[in-house]
Amino acid sequence: MFFIDVIIPLPIKQTFTYRVRAAEAAFLRPGMRVVVPFGRNKLRTALVLGVGTQELPEYQTKEIDQILDKQPVVTKTQLAFWQWMADYYMCTLGEVMKAALPGAMLLESETFIQVLNSDPNQWSDLSDAEYLVMEALLAQPQLSVDQVRAILSRSAVMGVIYALIDRGLVAVQEQLDDKYKPLMRRFVRLNPEILDQDTLNQVLDSLTRAPKQRELMMYLLAKPHQEEIQQTHLLKAVQTTAAILNSLVEKKWLLIQQRAIDRVPAHEGAVEALTALSSAQHEALNQIKTYFDHGSVCLLHGITSSGKTRLYMHLMQDYLQKGKQILFVVPEIALTTQLILRLQRFYGRQVGVYHSRQSPAERVELFQKVKNGAPEVQIVVGARSAIFLPFTDLGLVVLDESHEPSLKQHSPAPRYHGRDAAIMLAHLHGAKVLLGSATPSLESFYNTEQKKFGLVSLTERFGGVSLPEIDLVDLAQQYRKKLMQQHFSAPLIKAIEQTLTNKEQVVLFQNRRGYSAMIECLTCGLVPQCPDCDVSLTYHSHQELLRCHYCGHQRGVPQQCAGCGGIELDRIGLGTQQIEQSLEALFPKARIARMDQDTTKGKHAFTQLIEQMNQGEIDILVGTQMLAKGLDFDKVSLVGILNADQLMNFPDFRAQERAFQLMAQVSGRAGRRGMQGRVIIQTYTPDHQLLAQVVQGDYMGMYQHQSLQRQQFQYPPFCKLIRVTIKHRDLRLSQSAATWLFNVIAQKLGTLVLGPVAPPVARIRNQYIQQLLIKIPQNQSLSGTKGFLTKVEQRFHAHKEFARVTLAFDVDPIN
């Protein structure tokens, strides 16, 4: 007997065994995809983990349905990486597989209902719902389950379907639909048989009375004779129709071939030579190369606008010349637009892109190119998910803005950190890792002090440009003297006016999207709440909606209070939409745009905004933390931070570090091309120590101060953290489960377990949340602690009372 062990992309701990024929066993290899029956008549994609003969298992094994691949789509190194991720982040291989493979590669069958008995005389005792389904089946041969849900206007429809099956009126069939299909296009070329001079003259003479056909032939003859041209491009170039083209094909004067093309065309522009480095950049590059002779991970601590990207490209050039693949990870999709344009200028077709804003088919195509080692994709630029690509000869991993919290995956599992996972990926490939940041995370800088990472510093801006001048404005004093205009202090208003007069650009930072944080009734104080989350609804003025930023629930703005019927509703808090509206009133001639999640939902929205900024079509750009992530605009000379206190007073042990990083990064957008920029920070606490560190650009002062506090209270980097999250729709049950977990874990770990507590938003999507925080000191085994927690989890799920309680572990949580 021959069997295979497979991974199924579901949150299930174990792998599964299926029966295969001898020929299939000889053909199959680890990393290939197969379709297997799973559950009640369901077909799913599975990944082969191992092939071999073994004794017949105690349970009845099923046979696979089909083999999807001729070659493994996942390499052995990838499988080892998946296993590490599942072990380290305490999740299942199935969850890692689902995150790692593009969605279009994870096929799943869809259930269709087909009619067996269409005689209405047999429908007399059907329920209303059953009758509606049968009536719909008379109009079309089959219905999907989703179509049945739409017909009945409800989600629970399987009971209706099973009732019809039991009556013998319908049958169900599973259909597997391949989600990825190559993009096929028709290509046209001249038939070589007509290219001798005599035949060609006869052809052209015969077209004297067919001017459009003659024009099309002359267009192709003007090109090299064997050159193909895509049909749509050809018809557009000569402004003719497919009918004209087909008539020439019928005469066998033209040949048409259909073949697949890339959905994302390769860059076709001219490739420029890399520009020279400054002496400081050149010295830093040599230090990195020297460290890489004996070490694997190096931190490049370069102040904003010091030219880190330019240095990256020179380092990448060395690895390209060795034929190595390069992974360039950025924390936010917003960064890929500018970065790709810069890299394509110098590397052209060698640059590939991979992130979640791409279509599933585009992701599959790049996945396949990387797996095949295609020479046109030697550099991959992507968000954190790019670490799952099947590299075959990875030589260098660059993580730009490596301090960014968005490199961490919060939900669903695997809850990995892109920085740490990328370091492990590079280790498995024997590759080098360069972490770049103007404001490194405390963990990364601590690792340089412990000699785990190398450290190279860039302390001057490229081109000798001075760091921006940073001014603090006391909001309390401005309000007391009645100098505020809406949300803007007098110094900020004056600076914006001067910047616009100089034909330069302004960036304003407010870390809250929407119009205002909430709407409040001035009569009774009632604030509209999300029905499924313990959070107030945010007001969005452009759509006149109240929206929950956690679950997406939205409703129209009420005309009166739902509690007392009062009509005096006030908008509380400040969001980017309100800032945009205020600016339009204060500066009616200025061109104002906004960059936040609401304005960048479209696939090309980032690109359009960045292009408008680069072309000088925007005078004032208002945005959230997207603005802080490495964007490079030539004409920005003024940056305004509207509320620094909101950043510093967040209930999190990383709040001070994050506030410093955000303010320093946003400030770095000012004055990047030959002019000194200016930054104005509005605050109620101008004497705060952290603001003094921001003004002075004193990263080391911030690091040393925060390190002392972290060490005193035992927080990272001086210990490891594991957060345990418990969720259930019943508040009492979630609290009971959390208390049980705390008592069991505390028996062994004692005071290292904190909680249980509800987070600031204690209910999301109608699930009540409780959390435990486990501290693991440096002298305690991390793997041993995780092994203990795994056993506790097994005991927890063995309790019938907790069977439906959701339990999740987050290793190295960052908020």
Side-chain angles (χ1 to χ4, degrees), residues 650-803:
F650 196 77
D652 178 24
F653 74 90
R654 286 190 172 91
Q656 302 287 301
E657 176 192 5
R658 294 265 181 83
F660 180 91
Q661 290 169 339
L662 272 171
M663 286 188 276
Q665 291 284 345
V666 172
S667 299
R669 302 315 109 204
R672 298 174 71 89
R673 293 293 185 277
M675 58 181 175
Q676 184 177 24
R678 187 182 179 194
V679 180
I680 294 178
I681 300 177
Q682 298 186 159
T683 175
Y684 288 97
T685 55
D687 298 327
H688 198 290
Q689 179 183 15
L690 187 75
L691 292 176
Q693 293 165 347
V694 172
V695 170
Q696 297 162 13
D698 184 11
Y699 172 82
M700 286 306 300
M702 185 278 297
Y703 171 78
Q704 291 167 357
H705 181 257
Q706 292 299 311
S707 292
L708 285 173
Q709 289 191 332
R710 303 270 186 96
Q711 189 169 21
Q712 180 181 357
F713 295 104
Q714 279 297 292
Y715 279 101
F718 301 98
C719 75
K720 287 281 189 178
L721 296 180
I722 298 178
R723 184 169 59 206
V724 187
T725 301
I726 303 100
K727 295 182 183 179
H728 195 268
R729 287 179 173 270
D730 186 310
L731 174 61
R732 182 199 60 79
L733 187 56
S734 68
Q735 292 173 335
S736 173
T739 302
W740 184 93
L741 276 169
F742 172 81
N743 291 332
V744 173
I745 296 173
Q747 285 178 5
K748 180 169 183 178
L749 301 182
T751 58
L752 296 176
V753 188
L754 305 180
V757 295
V761 180
R763 182 173 60 105
I764 297 177
R765 294 184 176 88
N766 221 18
Q767 297 266 339
Y768 290 94
I769 305 170
Q770 293 284 312
Q771 291 180 341
L772 304 175
L773 190 65
I774 301 170
K775 294 183 178 181
I776 305 171
Q778 292 172 326
N779 60 358
Q780 180 175 314
S781 168
L782 176 62
S783 60
T785 303
K786 288 191 286 191
F788 164 69
L789 292 176
T790 300
K791 293 178 181 177
V792 171
E793 181 185 16
Q794 292 170 352
R795 288 178 58 191
F796 177 84
H797 289 304
H799 273 258
K800 187 176 181 180
E801 181 187 4
F802 303 145

Side-chain angles (χ1 to χ4, degrees), residues 632-653:
D632 188 3
F633 301 122
D634 293 355
K635 298 178 182 178
V636 173
S637 62
L638 174 66
V639 167
I641 299 174
L642 299 184
N643 191 343
D645 306 280
Q646 185 185 54
L647 303 174
M648 297 187 294
N649 297 324
F650 196 77
D652 178 24
F653 74 90

Side-chain angles (χ1 to χ4, degrees), residues 85-106:
M85 184 168 282
D87 292 341
Y88 187 83
Y89 290 105
M90 301 182 69
C91 62
T92 68
L93 272 172
E95 289 170 315
V96 179
M97 175 184 171
K98 188 170 184 178
L101 293 182
M105 295 178 71
L106 297 173

Side-chain angles (χ1 to χ4, degrees), residues 130 154 156-166:
E130 294 165 358
R154 67 193 202 196
V157 298
M158 295 309 296
V160 176
I161 294 171
Y162 290 144
L164 292 173
I165 293 172
D166 292 340

Side-chain angles (χ1 to χ4, degrees), residues 590-659:
R591 296 164 296 179
I592 301 165
R594 180 164 48 93
M595 180 184 284
D596 57 27
Q597 284 189 17
D598 296 320
T599 62
T600 55
K601 288 180 180 177
K603 182 175 180 180
H604 303 293
F606 282 124
T607 307
Q608 292 168 356
L609 271 174
I610 289 169
E611 184 64 24
Q612 288 173 335
M613 279 292 288
N614 287 333
Q615 296 298 324
E617 297 173 5
I618 296 173
D619 298 318
I620 305 175
L621 181 63
V622 181
T624 57
Q625 59 182 336
M626 293 179 182
L627 296 172
K629 298 178 181 179
L631 297 176
D632 188 3
F633 301 122
D634 293 355
K635 298 178 182 178
V636 173
S637 62
L638 174 66
V639 167
I641 299 174
L642 299 184
N643 191 343
D645 306 280
Q646 185 185 54
L647 303 174
M648 297 187 294
N649 297 324
F650 196 77
D652 178 24
F653 74 90
R654 286 190 172 91
Q656 302 287 301
E657 176 192 5
R658 294 265 181 83

Side-chain angles (χ1 to χ4, degrees), residues 54 80 93 97 101 142-143 226 266 340 344 350 377 394 428 438 496 523 586 594 642 649 676 721 791 799 802:
Q54 62 186 49
L93 272 172
M97 175 184 171
L101 293 182
Q142 63 180 24
L143 293 172
Q226 296 305 312
I340 291 160
Q344 285 178 338
Q350 292 178 292
V377 184
L394 185 64
L428 293 172
I496 293 174
T523 305
L586 291 169
R594 180 164 48 93
L642 299 184
N649 297 324
Q676 184 177 24
L721 296 180
K791 293 178 181 177
H799 273 258
F802 303 145

